[in-house]
Amino acid sequence: MSAGTRADRPVTSQGHYAGSASRFLAYAVDSTVSSGVFALALAGISYVVSVVTGSHVSWNKGNIAVAIVFAGWEFIYFAYSWAASGKTFGMAILGVRVVRADGTAVGPRHAVLRTLAFPLSFLLLGLGFAGILVQREHRALHDLIAGTAVVYAWDARAARLRFLAREAEPAAGSGRSQQENG
Amino acid sequence: MTDPFEALAQRVAERVLDLVVSALDMNALLDRVDVNALVGRVDVNGLLNRVDVPALLDRADVNALLDRVDVDSLLDRVDVNDLVRRVDVDALVEHTDVGAIIARSSGGAASEALDAARSQVVGLDQFIDRWVQRGLRRKHPAPAGPPALVKGSPIQ
């Protein structure tokens, strides 16, 4: 083992403001998952209804009731996830999470406010998301309204150590087996 | 014939020696001694070669010695953070069983794939951010993260 100064190397991205690609991909995963779960739930309901009543139920995408239920489901999906852990399923995969502007954990109030403000970023022709690119803290319109920010929650340094450990393990294992055979 | 003279001479010599020693300022004398030069003339290695270290250690009560050491004050004087910074953790993981322990304790292929994918996306984040900052001609670097999470970020 060699001793050397490693202070010049960035230790981790954990806690840094998350960039646009991570956030976009996290949203894409969430959108796919939440829509998929909703579609599965509708299919399940249709199946149960057809078994019980014998009549076939078809869900019209333009149906206002379905749209309201879908909006309610999306609200629960995002608001509950952010209030409970600061991250949705997609955010957990991409390793980002929502925090308050000062970095402390987000609470139910901020989570609900962020979820309600989230559609505004879409409604302004998507300009609400421009903040992720140009704002110094990568905060979108709904972040500014809710007083939140999105940061990296995964430890890049730990990931590198795991990578090195996996690289080193086969060599160490073969060395041990040679010693045992010898 | 000589005995009385010898005894007298000895008494005189002892008396003179006592007077000289009592008149000497030992501290002033020691101040004039060049200790470095004195030590330079001593063959320390030769001296140490003549020391029977095991016998010396056998005679030393190490536990009693350690009991007299104030470990807390000793540790207070050690900059542990600096010590840890000087450790090449990568090399430690690569060349010791610590790596194997980490590899066994962490997830398998899925975890590895996730790490790799996240690293790629973070790289893309940084690439986009770099070009946006360049396009906006920003001179001052943006804060890395919220103050509670990133040391050195300005408190708003």
Side-chain angles (χ1 to χ4, degrees):
Chain A
M1 185 184 82
S2 64
T5 304
R6 299 281 164 183
D8 53 328
R9 195 167 53 198
V11 172
T12 176
S13 295
Q14 200 170 29
H16 290 206
Y17 291 117
S20 51
S22 293
R23 293 183 61 172
F24 173 76
L25 285 172
Y27 176 70
V29 171
D30 282 328
S31 185
T32 306
V33 169
S34 62
S35 302
V37 170
F38 187 72
L40 276 174
L42 289 185
I45 291 168
S46 297
Y47 178 73
V48 171
V49 169
S50 67
V51 167
V52 173
T53 66
S55 60
H56 180 71
V57 180
S58 66
W59 304 102
N60 184 0
K61 285 181 182 176
N63 189 330
I64 189 75
V66 173
I68 289 171
V69 173
F70 180 69
W73 158 243
E74 291 283 295
F75 176 83
I76 291 167
Y77 177 85
F78 284 99
Y80 177 77
S81 302
W82 287 332
S85 62
K87 52 191 157 192
T88 55
F89 178 72
M91 287 177 141
I93 287 178
L94 268 295
V96 295
R97 73 182 169 108
V98 180
V99 292
R100 286 164 70 172
D102 61 359
T104 53
V106 71
R109 193 172 69 84
H110 287 84
V112 168
L113 195 57
R114 191 175 198 268
T115 312
L116 292 174
F118 191 68
L120 283 178
S121 296
F122 278 106
L123 293 174
L124 296 171
L125 302 172
L127 284 176
F129 294 107
I132 297 172
L133 277 175
V134 299
Q135 212 265 343
R136 288 171 64 83
E137 294 159 351
H138 300 283
R139 292 168 72 192
L141 178 64
H142 51 275
D143 284 318
L144 295 170
I145 291 171
T148 57
V150 179
V151 296
Y152 293 114
W154 70 295
D155 191 347
R157 181 83 180 112
R160 177 173 162 73
L161 289 179
R162 282 198 296 272
F163 173 76
L164 288 170
R166 278 191 289 266
E167 291 278 298
E169 194 183 34
S174 64
R176 269 196 300 272
S177 61
Q178 279 176 3
Q179 279 182 345
E180 284 164 8
N181 292 334
Chain B
M1 281 295 283
T2 55
D3 283 346
F5 282 113
E6 269 186 27
L8 182 65
Q10 193 167 353
R11 278 203 299 276
V12 168
E14 284 173 358
R15 180 65 185 147
V16 168
L17 196 62
D18 285 344
L19 288 171
V20 168
V21 168
S22 62
L24 274 177
D25 182 353
M26 290 303 286
N27 289 327
L29 192 68
L30 287 172
D31 285 343
R32 292 173 66 184
V33 174
D34 185 352
V35 179
N36 288 327
L38 193 67
V39 171
R41 291 171 64 186
V42 175
D43 181 5
V44 179
N45 289 326
L47 199 67
L48 287 174
N49 285 338
R50 292 168 62 186
V51 174
D52 184 358
V53 178
L56 192 69
L57 288 175
D58 284 345
R59 290 172 61 186
D61 184 355
V62 180
N63 288 327
L65 200 67
L66 287 174
D67 285 343
R68 291 169 63 186
V69 175
D70 184 354
V71 180
D72 287 338
S73 73
L74 192 70
L75 286 175
D76 284 345
R77 293 169 62 188
V78 177
D79 186 353
V80 179
N81 289 327
D82 181 57
L83 206 64
V84 171
R85 268 197 295 275
R86 290 168 62 189
V87 174
D88 187 349
V89 182
D90 288 3
L92 184 75
V93 170
E94 279 181 293
H95 303 302
T96 65
D97 281 346
V98 175
I101 293 166
I102 293 172
R104 276 197 290 271
S105 64
S106 61
S111 171
E112 192 175 355
L114 199 61
D115 285 348
R118 283 173 174 175
S119 296
Q120 294 293 322
V121 179
V122 170
L124 187 59
D125 283 340
Q126 289 169 345
F127 174 79
I128 294 169
D129 190 45
R130 206 163 35 244
W131 278 99
V132 169
Q133 300 301 325
R134 202 171 290 178
L136 294 171
R137 296 175 189 277
R138 278 196 178 130
K139 289 176 184 172
H140 304 291
L149 297 176
V150 177
K151 198 177 169 185
S153 282
I155 294 170
Q156 295 160 334

